[in-house]
Amino acid sequence: MPAACLALLTCCAVMSFKSIILQGGKEVAERMVYIITPTYRRPTQAPDLTRLMQTLRLATNLFWIVVEDSRNYTKLVDNILRRSGIPGAHLLGPTPANKKNKTSGRGAACRNRALEWIRENATSPGVVYFADDDNTYDVRLFDEIRKTRGISVFPVGVVGLYGVSSPVVRNGKVIGFHDSYKGGRRYLLDMAGFAVSLELLFANKDAAMAFKLGKQEDEFLRSFNVSIEQMEPLCSNCTQVYVWHTQTVRSVFPKWSAISKKGQYNDTNLQQLYRNIL
Ligand code: UGA
Ligand code: MN
């Protein structure tokens, strides 16, 4: 066989092998999923973050960006991130004083700080997902999210009056949304119900979270100009729930001064226990 033909054949073989790898998912498996988690001080912060951290530890190729709604870094969050062993970034994204009200929504400042960090530091290919600290995640969700090319969408359990928020899918295409809260939104999606590729994020430099209760997701998604039909349904064509919008029951911070009024517990474990909790 002439050398030129052999070279051509080898070249074709290499090319087809490469495309098999790409289609076969190796490239997808290696794509980083950037998880953005806003968090703030409250009695249930430790259990919520511990549960999330231990779920994330079960997944591979994750980068966990934890943003504190605070002016100072806290030991609690630092310890959890360190113990996790998960690559990540610990940032601050305090809510501005004039946005601390009932109509501005929660976590927007944190998410915007994380988006800023990603635009400066992340390298594509990758996918961004907003994972609040109190939701419940099935570890299978992250490999689903990894498949995202533009914007992917999927069901979120325990949301609103229908008990679930989900895209409506027919013949593998998203044709609308099923969510009891309409609120004048174009995309009826929960914060936990979509993911965006880094490529799309980098191409839309202004995409950010608005300080508007109930409108954060919709306004963010509108900035990408992606039609409903272009959205990629995940989780077996949106028939499986891999994330739930759970909420931890409110609790109170204990007061050591009230517990040990007469100093009766000062020589016991309780003193250190309360120090550790607070
Ligand atoms: C719903 C939505 O699912 C959130 O994505 C949205 O941010 C929020 O409403 C809102 O806009 O108010 P919900 O479960 O009601 O979520 O809210 P939280 O879980 O209390 O807060 C959402 C995230 O923001 C959490 O990760 C939480 O730790 C964080 N957060 C909350 C702050 O960073 N600062 C706060 O003052 C409160
Ligand atoms: Mn929540």
Side-chain angles (χ1 to χ4, degrees):
M1 191 186 291
C5 282
L6 193 65
L8 192 68
L9 255 181
T10 316
C11 174
C12 287
V14 168
M15 265 174 59
S16 62
F17 179 60
K18 200 171 172 194
S19 66
I20 287 168
I21 291 178
L22 289 174
Q23 286 161 10
K26 187 160 187 277
E27 184 229 22
V28 170
E30 284 167 3
R31 227 182 280 162
M32 187 67 85
V33 176
Y34 292 84
I35 305 282
I36 297 177
T37 302
T39 190
Y40 71 109
R41 182 175 148 80
R42 62 193 189 280
T44 56
Q45 185 181 28
D48 281 342
L49 275 179
T50 300
R51 183 164 49 125
L52 173 57
M53 176 268 272
Q54 293 185 350
T55 301
L56 297 182
R57 278 182 59 161
L58 299 171
T60 52
N61 285 339
L62 292 191
F63 192 92
W64 192 20
I65 304 177
V66 182
V67 195
E68 294 198 64
D69 186 351
S70 160
R71 298 198 175 282
N72 306 298
Y73 289 97
T74 65
K75 236 191 176 128
L76 188 149
V77 174
D78 191 52
N79 283 340
I80 288 177
L81 251 174
R82 271 172 208 278
R83 279 192 296 114
S84 77
I86 303 165
H90 184 181
L91 308 172
L92 297 178
T95 302
N98 65 343
K99 303 292 183 198
K100 286 186 185 173
N101 53 54
K102 290 214 165 105
T103 55
S104 294
R106 281 154 288 180
C110 293
R111 296 188 185 105
N112 286 337
R113 176 67 190 97
L115 290 171
E116 181 186 48
W117 189 96
I118 284 174
R119 287 190 167 105
E120 284 168 6
N121 299 286
T123 47
S124 73
V127 182
V128 172
Y129 179 62
F130 298 100
D132 288 354
D133 60 358
D134 57 343
N135 292 337
T136 306
Y137 307 87
D138 185 315
V139 70
R140 290 174 289 181
L141 177 69
F142 308 108
D143 282 339
E144 286 294 306
I145 285 173
R146 221 179 292 284
K147 300 172 188 166
T148 307
R149 296 282 168 181
I151 294 180
S152 64
V153 291
F154 36 91
V156 181
V158 207
V159 173
L161 294 174
Y162 301 157
V164 67
S165 167
S166 177
V168 181
V169 179
R170 184 176 284 138
N171 297 327
K173 287 245 176 277
V174 179
I175 58 165
F177 302 100
H178 178 74
D179 188 311
S180 61
Y181 167 61
K182 317 285 184 233
R185 299 185 296 167
R186 185 188 301 169
Y187 308 104
L188 310 187
L189 289 165
D190 189 88
M191 191 66 78
F194 66 91
V196 182
S197 70
L198 274 186
E199 293 75 6
L200 202 57
L201 195 72
F202 290 157
N204 293 267
K205 302 209 177 333
D206 296 330
M209 291 293 166
F211 288 90
K212 290 183 194 167
L213 182 66
K215 290 267 166 77
Q216 273 189 61
E217 301 90 337
D218 194 48
E219 297 215 353
F220 178 73
L221 288 166
R222 281 180 193 226
S223 42
F224 298 103
N225 282 318
V226 168
S227 69
I228 291 174
E229 304 76 54
Q230 287 173 310
M231 290 181 152
E232 304 147 37
L234 297 180
C235 302
S236 305
N237 273 325
C238 297
T239 59
Q240 299 292 331
V241 173
Y242 288 164
V243 53
W244 295 264
H245 191 154
T246 46
Q247 290 179 305
T248 313
V249 172
R250 272 178 180 279
S251 187
V252 290
F253 278 117
K255 278 207 176 68
W256 176 243
S257 55
I259 301 288
S260 188
K261 266 189 206 140
K262 297 169 194 153
Q264 69 272 39
Y265 294 122
N266 283 358
D267 54 350
T268 73
N269 66 307
L270 292 192
Q271 190 168 31
Q272 189 58 44
L273 177 64
Y274 274 83
R275 254 190 221 134
N276 289 344
I277 292 173
L278 296 162

